[in-house]
Amino acid sequence: MRGYFASSIGVACATVLALSAPLPAAAAGRPGVHRPPATRPVTGATVPGSTQSFPLVPLNPDRAAGTAPEMGLAPQSVRSFSLVGVVWDDPATELHGHVQIRTRASGADRWSAWQDVETHNHGHGPDPASDEGSSSRMRGSTAPLWVGDSDGVEVRVRAEADQVGGTRTPTLPDGLRVELVDPGAEPGQGALAPSSQADPVQRSDEDLPYGGTGADAIASAVEAGLASLNASMNASMNASMFPAPSDETTNEADVDQAGEVRGGPSAAAKPFAAPRPRIVTRSGWGADESLRESGFVYTGSVKAAFVHHTASGNNYTCAQAPSVIRGIYRYHVVSSGWRDIGYNFLIDKCGNIYEGRAGGVDKPVMGAHTLGFNTNTTGIAVLGSFTSTAPSAAAVNSVAALTAWKLGLTGIDPRGTTYLTSGGGNLYPKGANVRLNVISGHRDGFATECPGKLLYGKLGSIRTAAARLQGR
């Protein structure tokens, strides 16, 4: 399929899109489950990294009755890390409180100001009834925070008092630990998969997937090339769809180095199809494949896309984006106990698109992104926090380009609605048949701030732009 796209889109829509083509550590505090030592290095990995884990201790052990408990970690000198989060034993328990962290830049005496860590992360993760969600390796966790290269850390966690008239006693989850993630060294250029034909990391607005930063640029490019593209697609691709298995595991041997299943039918030619944007493969961003569980889990055909923010902060450069993703990947697997990174795709502030959970970018890979609605959906996360900061135009445009292509594989109009069956969450009970926008925000399926109000406010224009990319 990559060969076809490289030829047809290069001619018909060159201005539209540039194309590309051991189990985690066990949790503590539960009978029969071994807790690894505080430092968990990975050996023999292509891009090595490590996780340091430190227990939090009471900061106010002699507190008066009714006073909210506080836990934390005194200032510590540690090995280098760049991403940090807090985890606890029971994934079903939410952390009602505030988490703050300050860090010391590596090789410097200067400490950062206190930074807030997003605690309302419960809505991310595998569905509770799934094998992944019911695993004994699962742990509760905050969102991860990218802090850059650091060698010192201090943590404080304070329980939140109940609302006036409430009955909840301020408590904190058992087994609180701070996880310090070193994402490892940058992969060499030789690690890029053949489909990533150029350095995908740094790119100016002129090099964005469709040659501009707005819906008008998208529309003009599409109008110029889409008719030719669709004709070429209909002539060159067969109309068979890939099968839609439910929770099917595929053998590792059936997957090529770019992370795509071999032998599976290509995406069918559709009346309304968008070109595939360039996607940096897992090898391109340096995924250590020994971290995740082997095999892949698939759902039925993708009916909707949920848009997220990673809530990991905006203090990263586009050159650092692969490191941020490796850090999130390690945090999801090693610290949180998931089988792989939760998102199916990630997008940085420069508009670069990255393959997330392994199994094939054109396949219906079961993610762990929207609790209760991981079935028949795909999860797209924009790196950053967008509650008070607006997402870049490049990132918004890439969400449109990606959803146009991914939803177009099954002929879905990005402006439409669909019905999804809830797997259980805080908005919809398990088994509820819920009507949702085909392109929804995380908060549409779960009561959460994600993807941040300023990214959520872009979803209308994303739907319109994606539809225009499909030629609608």
Side-chain angles (χ1 to χ4, degrees), residues 432-457:
N433 195 31
V434 183
R435 185 180 182 183
L436 293 166
N437 286 311
V438 164
I439 298 178
S440 284
H442 185 185
R443 63 174 64 181
D444 295 319
F446 195 93
T448 175
E449 286 293 315
C450 185
K453 66 180 181 180
L454 297 183
L455 177 53
Y456 187 79

Side-chain angles (χ1 to χ4, degrees), residues 136-435:
S136 62
R137 298 186 300 275
M138 284 279 295
R139 307 184 77 202
S141 59
T142 68
L145 178 67
W146 177 260
V147 294
D149 191 15
S150 305
D151 62 8
V153 65
E154 183 178 5
V155 183
R156 61 189 185 193
V157 180
R158 181 182 175 86
E160 186 177 65
D162 202 3
Q163 297 178 350
V164 176
T167 59
R168 178 174 55 81
T169 301
T171 59
L172 290 172
D174 293 333
L176 285 169
R177 305 181 72 89
V178 62
E179 304 279 296
L180 309 178
V181 179
D182 171 16
E186 292 293 337
Q189 285 189 323
L192 292 177
S195 57
S196 301
Q197 297 177 5
D199 181 5
V201 178
Q202 298 211 32
R203 186 166 55 172
S204 65
D205 283 352
E206 289 76 13
D207 292 326
L208 291 177
Y210 25 71
T213 58
D216 291 341
I218 299 171
S220 61
V222 171
E223 289 167 2
L226 190 60
S228 175
L229 168 66
N230 283 339
S232 180
M233 288 177 68
N234 288 329
S236 303
M237 301 177 69
N238 64 51
S240 61
M241 287 293 291
F242 55 79
S246 178
D247 296 347
E248 177 183 341
T249 300
T250 296
N251 191 293
E252 198 87 14
D254 295 333
V255 178
D256 66 18
Q257 291 183 347
E260 298 186 18
V261 177
R262 289 198 297 260
S266 299
K270 289 291 175 183
F272 297 99
R276 170 176 165 171
R278 185 173 71 175
I279 299 171
V280 181
T281 63
R282 289 172 64 92
S283 63
W285 55 261
D288 176 1
E289 300 296 354
S290 71
L291 287 182
R292 66 175 178 85
E293 290 189 27
S294 60
F296 311 106
V297 178
Y298 295 100
T299 178
S301 65
V302 172
K303 298 169 62 178
F306 280 100
V307 177
H308 303 257
H309 67 176
T310 58
S312 52
N314 303 309
N315 295 323
Y316 73 93
T317 66
C318 293
Q320 292 173 322
S323 294
V324 177
I325 295 171
R326 291 197 306 276
I328 294 173
Y329 170 45
R330 175 173 279 276
Y331 184 72
H332 283 179
V333 176
V334 176
S335 300
S336 303
W338 303 357
R339 62 175 290 118
D340 195 350
I341 192 170
Y343 307 114
N344 297 100
F345 299 93
L346 300 98
I347 296 173
D348 69 23
K349 63 177 67 176
C350 288
N352 298 301
I353 302 171
Y354 302 84
E355 177 184 16
R357 181 162 288 210
V361 295
D362 60 348
K363 302 298 183 287
V365 178
M366 174 78 83
H369 49 83
T370 306
L371 191 73
F373 291 102
N374 290 309
T375 298
N376 297 338
T377 65
T378 192
I380 301 168
V382 181
L383 295 180
S385 304
F386 305 110
T387 298
S388 58
T389 300
S392 68
V396 170
N397 289 344
S398 287
V399 174
L402 179 59
T403 52
W405 168 71
K406 184 69 175 179
L407 295 172
L409 296 178
T410 45
I412 295 176
D413 187 340
R415 302 165 300 184
T417 59
T418 190
Y419 283 92
L420 297 172
T421 302
S422 172
N426 63 3
L427 275 183
Y428 302 103
K430 184 177 180 179
N433 195 31
V434 183
R435 185 180 182 183

Side-chain angles (χ1 to χ4, degrees), residues 3-21:
Y4 164 75
F5 276 120
S7 60
S8 65
I9 298 177
V11 174
C13 286
T15 60
V16 181
L17 290 168
L19 302 182
S20 71

